Amino acid sequence: MDEKTAMLNNLVKKSKRIVFFGGAGVSTESGIPDFRSKDGLYNQKYDYPPEEILSHTFFMRKPEEFFKFYRDKLDSRKYEPNVTHYKLAELEKAGRLSAVVTQNIDGLHQRAGSKRVYELHGSVLRNYCMKCGKSHSAEEVFSSDGVPKCSCGGMIKPDVVLYEEPLDDKTVRNAVRAISDADLLIIGGTSLTVYPASSYITYFRGDKMVLVNKSSTSFDGMADLVINKGLGEVFSQIEV
């Protein structure tokens, strides 16, 4: 264990209200592609730019094209949680981690066993009818053809936050409260460039802030400890 990882390990041992704030880098180690890297979804070729496809306007105007992309690129059911997901679940079970705040929509934290997860951008595992509000499973949406429809005839929408859509107020309030009450905030696998989500870390008032990311971020100066490594390499060494 190197010096910086040992420092994080000691902080984890001493903390009782840890909050983990995570981004795409948490799930890329499970094989899920991110959005903004050179090989990410935003740099791949489609009939329309992915940023446009993942907007509310496009979803409403061209739902057939939206669901083609959605089924092809955002089905997280075929991926498995990795060491970071499992370690965070262990820390929660041990009573040290109070919440996970995630920008990811894949549901892998819950599959690893985490109970208190605030999904800022929603989840592909939840879907609802835009007409009657009935809930629908991910299996229904991903296995259907064309535009998925409810029994009432309404269009089914994934419970994910598209561009032009606001974040869920209750989720944001809970995430901000958890961050504010934390004694240790670990930020991992995110470049902290997606707003407003990244701004929520400024509510932290606890003892130590640790940033674990392969590359530097504009928030590095705020952190008490910066570790420029992959999450799996670091979290595999954290002792619960």
Side-chain angles (χ1 to χ4, degrees), residues 12-164:
V12 168
K13 287 180 178 179
K14 293 189 294 184
S15 301
K16 296 181 179 179
R17 295 186 312 280
I18 303 169
V19 167
F20 179 84
F21 182 98
V26 180
S27 294
T28 52
E29 294 185 13
S30 289
I32 295 180
D34 67 358
F35 283 76
R36 290 176 173 76
S37 70
K38 67 177 183 177
D39 298 316
L41 294 182
Y42 288 172
N43 292 307
Q44 297 180 23
K45 301 294 183 181
Y46 292 92
D47 292 340
Y48 303 90
E51 301 99 313
E52 183 180 349
I53 296 173
L54 294 173
S55 69
H56 179 81
T57 297
F58 190 93
F59 173 79
M60 297 303 295
R61 288 180 179 172
K62 297 181 181 290
E64 298 89 352
E65 293 295 325
F66 172 88
F67 278 105
K68 282 182 186 177
F69 178 89
Y70 183 79
R71 292 188 183 98
D72 185 34
K73 293 297 180 182
L74 296 179
D75 186 354
S76 63
R77 296 173 304 156
K78 55 190 173 184
Y79 300 99
E80 296 297 328
N82 59 56
V83 64
T84 302
H85 295 109
Y86 285 117
K87 190 70 70 170
L88 291 169
E90 288 178 38
L91 287 169
E92 181 184 43
K93 188 175 182 180
R96 291 184 187 160
L97 185 136
S98 55
V100 169
V101 179
T102 181
Q103 299 173 79
N104 297 332
I105 59 174
D106 50 52
L108 291 184
H109 283 294
Q110 291 92 329
R111 281 176 55 191
S114 290
K115 304 299 184 186
R116 189 170 294 163
V117 183
Y118 300 124
E119 298 169 304
L120 296 175
H121 298 145
S123 172
V124 299
L125 302 183
R126 297 189 300 271
N127 305 270
Y128 64 92
C129 174
M130 298 180 72
K131 184 178 180 180
C132 72
K134 180 182 176 181
S135 295
H136 293 269
S137 69
E139 287 70 23
E140 287 181 76
V141 173
F142 284 115
S143 64
S144 62
D145 296 318
V147 179
K149 294 292 182 67
C150 179
S151 57
C152 76
M155 181 165 65
I156 297 172
K157 182 184 182 297
D159 189 14
V160 298
V161 179
L162 302 176
Y163 288 109
E164 305 165 349

Side-chain angles (χ1 to χ4, degrees), residues 167-207:
L167 303 188
D168 178 71
D169 284 342
K170 183 179 179 181
T171 302
V172 169
R173 288 197 303 272
N174 286 334
V176 168
R177 185 181 301 113
I179 291 170
S180 300
D181 292 343
D183 57 3
L184 171 63
L185 177 62
I186 304 174
I187 303 164
T190 173
S191 57
L192 294 171
T193 57
V194 178
Y195 286 86
S198 61
S199 66
Y200 300 148
I201 68 170
T202 61
Y203 288 91
F204 178 62
R205 297 292 182 269
D207 297 331

